Amino acid sequence: QIVDASAYLNSFQLAPYYAYSTTEPFYTFGHIEHHLNGMITNKIPLFRRLNWNMVVGGNALYVNKNNNYLDAFVGIENIFKILRVDVVVGYQGNVINTAVKVGFGGLLGGSISNASGGNVVISF
């Protein structure tokens, strides 16, 4: 499935919308993303000419040992200066979901971050 990506550092990419809402007194979640800024793609001639860059990251939620969620992604950003395409794998219990997500940004604003290095959001 190919779908529009949610905000990368503020949401979970494949989690069911209400499945992980919680009234528990303690839960924790984190979002991490790192822009490789050509560390790998500069070694590939076509990617170097196109100025496409890789980005990797993950999102996690822990409520208790029976209620947790994890997703990880790897993607290419700066496609035509406005697109980002990610392959996302979500893990919940014994179920693994995979999807291709498309994010818009760059000249249009939106989901693509132009930050150098990585971004991290962790909450308790």
Side-chain angles (χ1 to χ4, degrees):
Q1 71 181 5
I2 298 177
V3 290
D4 183 30
S6 304
Y8 293 98
L9 285 176
N10 295 325
S11 63
F12 297 93
Q13 296 297 314
L14 295 179
Y17 196 64
Y18 287 110
Y20 294 98
S21 59
T22 183
T23 58
E24 294 291 323
F26 175 78
Y27 64 93
T28 185
F29 64 91
H31 307 283
I32 187 166
E33 177 178 275
H34 185 71
H35 300 262
L36 298 176
N37 294 331
M39 183 173 25
I40 295 173
T41 55
N42 279 348
K43 313 299 186 269
I44 305 167
L46 178 62
F47 280 76
R48 186 175 181 179
R49 287 183 107 184
L50 295 171
N51 198 26
W52 292 359
N53 295 311
M54 289 186 72
V55 61
V56 296
N59 307 300
L61 168 70
Y62 179 83
V63 178
N64 58 44
K65 68 179 183 173
N66 299 320
N67 188 6
N68 52 65
Y69 175 79
L70 173 70
D71 65 25
F73 56 87
V74 62
I76 300 291
E77 65 181 353
N78 203 30
I79 301 170
F80 305 118
K81 300 201 185 287
I82 60 169
L83 290 176
R84 173 174 163 174
V85 177
D86 292 278
V87 175
V88 182
V89 176
Y91 175 76
Q92 53 196 61
N94 294 327
V95 179
I96 297 175
N97 294 317
T98 306
V100 175
K101 296 279 198 153
V102 177
F104 296 95
L107 297 174
L108 301 174
S111 328
I112 296 178
S113 171
N114 291 323
S116 59
N119 298 309
V120 178
V121 175
I122 298 176
S123 179
F124 296 98

